[in-house]
Amino acid sequence: MPIGPVHRTVHSVQVDAAAGVVYGLVADATQWPLHFPPNVHVERLEFDATHERLRMWVVANGEVHSWISRRRQDPVQRRIEFRHTLPQAPVETLHGTWTVEERPGGTCLLTLLRDFTVVGNRPDDVAWVKRACDTNSCAELDNIKRLAERWRHLDDLALSFEHSVRVRGPAELVYDFLYRAGDWPGLVPHVSRLDLTENSPGVQTLSMDTRTADGTTHTTESVRICFPHAGRIVHKQTVTPDLVEAHTGEWSVLPDESGVTVVSQHSVVLREEAVTRTLGPTADLATARRYVRQELGRNATTVLQLAKRHAESAIRVL
């Protein structure tokens, strides 16, 4: 089958950080959902330190798309080549490169090039793919620049934690409660509204109003990728509260011979400039870290306990 005309997008950004730091951010694709706004989830399927195969879920023009990507890393040249082996329509083929060029004064130039073809080369489809490439490339490069330029400070802004509960009940019922998030209003005290859509099996988009401990309400939007056979639901907030720059997480249902362990894991990057306007003029990053961990921890524990009750109170019909 003939391949249509090749279209190209090229985006660059000057970064006031060492080239090695920037290359490291690009190379570690498993952390992209936390660092890149369009990326929802990345599963590393293979990796031999040079070649890797990734399954990626990405928001493109407001829609969640998924594909398999093969990458070749070259840390000496600070170059990463990639191509999509299972692109999603209307993309027919897509490949490209990340390059990091060292510049004087400890700075560097980061460039992202994409070449793509479109099924049938219809103008509307070409424009759709180009718009997605332009929007996502700019978001990715801008965020890499922000992260790299405050790299030494990033540990103060980032936090990860988890909570777990043991359940003496069927793993399927635990997963069922977590999966049916659309039923949470009226069941989960801190959820006052939740609109859920699932246009593709296992890919959920949520808009949710959540009450905090002081009674205020904030609205978030999220994407969840569900893996029922593995007992996993990964999630990323695409619209976050003011205090949070990025938030990813996972629900894991882990059965064993004596019961089920259910784990709620969260990774967060704080928005430093929002700390005082959200928590008051005397608040600092330590205050913000405690606040976010307490709020998310309280909410996660509530859901875990409700999932436990749902599974343990099930009535067997013989």
Side-chain angles (χ1 to χ4, degrees):
M1 182 180 296
I3 302 296
V6 176
H7 306 273
R8 169 169 291 188
T9 64
V10 182
H11 299 83
S12 298
V13 65
Q14 185 81 23
V15 185
D16 187 13
V21 170
V22 174
Y23 178 84
L25 288 169
V26 177
D28 189 2
T30 60
Q31 292 299 307
W32 283 11
L34 191 61
H35 296 326
F36 293 178
N39 290 78
V40 175
H41 182 57
V42 176
E43 293 266 325
R44 177 177 274 161
L45 306 177
E46 299 173 13
F47 187 45
D48 65 4
T50 300
H51 300 89
E52 65 183 330
R53 191 165 64 97
L54 306 167
R55 178 74 185 271
M56 312 183 80
W57 287 262
V58 178
V59 177
N61 295 334
E63 304 172 3
V64 180
H65 285 242
S66 180
W67 54 78
I68 302 290
S69 181
R70 287 191 176 273
R71 303 204 311 170
R72 180 182 180 276
Q73 297 190 18
D74 184 346
V76 176
Q77 298 296 324
R78 299 194 182 96
R79 176 185 177 92
I80 297 175
E81 301 172 354
F82 61 90
R83 62 184 177 89
H84 294 183
T85 59
L86 290 174
Q88 187 171 338
V91 176
E92 184 176 34
T93 65
L94 190 150
H95 64 274
T97 57
W98 294 87
T99 57
V100 185
E101 302 173 51
E102 195 167 5
R103 293 293 176 89
T107 66
C108 63
L109 179 70
L110 173 64
T111 300
L112 172 56
L113 178 150
R114 287 188 176 100
D115 288 333
F116 65 90
T117 64
V118 171
V119 177
N121 201 44
R122 291 181 291 271
D124 287 350
D125 289 341
V126 172
W128 189 97
V129 176
K130 187 176 186 302
R131 185 167 70 254
C133 288
D134 288 342
T135 301
N136 287 9
S137 295
C138 289
E140 290 164 357
L141 266 62
D142 288 350
N143 232 46
I144 291 175
K145 175 180 172 67
R146 295 184 68 239
L147 288 167
E149 291 181 347
R150 55 178 181 172
W151 179 251
R152 298 183 186 279
H153 191 39
L154 188 57
D155 283 347
D156 297 326
L157 298 172
L159 62 153
S160 295
F161 54 92
E162 66 179 39
H163 297 80
S164 64
V165 66
R166 286 289 292 173
V167 178
R168 293 188 177 276
E172 294 81 5
L173 288 180
V174 176
Y175 185 88
D176 177 69
F177 184 87
L178 299 174
Y179 175 79
R180 292 187 298 103
D183 295 341
W184 287 3
L187 297 175
V188 179
H190 61 268
V191 178
S192 58
R193 180 192 63 86
L194 195 153
D195 297 327
L196 183 150
T197 58
E198 187 171 347
N199 294 326
S200 299
V203 180
Q204 300 177 336
T205 57
L206 286 71
S207 176
M208 180 168 64
D209 291 341
T210 304
R211 284 187 292 267
T212 61
D214 62 8
T216 59
T217 299
H218 61 248
T219 299
T220 59
E221 295 180 8
S222 302
V223 176
R224 305 202 314 172
I225 312 298
C226 305
F227 304 93
H229 298 296
R232 301 172 58 213
I233 299 174
V234 298
H235 55 88
K236 173 175 178 169
Q237 286 187 347
T238 53
V239 175
T240 61
D242 191 33
L243 187 58
V244 174
E245 185 170 295
H247 176 198
T248 64
E250 178 172 339
W251 300 97
S252 303
V253 182
L254 308 170
D256 55 44
E257 63 278 0
S258 62
V260 177
T261 300
V262 193
V263 181
S264 173
Q265 182 273 332
H266 297 268
S267 295
V268 175
V269 177
L270 299 174
R271 183 175 286 115
E272 186 173 12
E273 61 271 21
V275 170
T276 54
R277 69 171 176 256
T278 302
L279 300 178
T282 62
D284 56 12
L285 280 176
T287 307
R289 292 172 68 90
R290 287 193 300 270
Y291 176 83
V292 168
R293 180 157 189 166
Q294 288 170 0
E295 286 291 329
L296 290 178
R298 179 169 41 248
N299 293 350
T301 301
T302 297
V303 175
L304 288 172
Q305 291 296 333
L306 289 169
K308 172 183 172 75
R309 182 189 308 169
H310 177 72
E312 292 182 344
S313 63
I315 300 175
R316 292 182 178 270
V317 179
L318 300 180

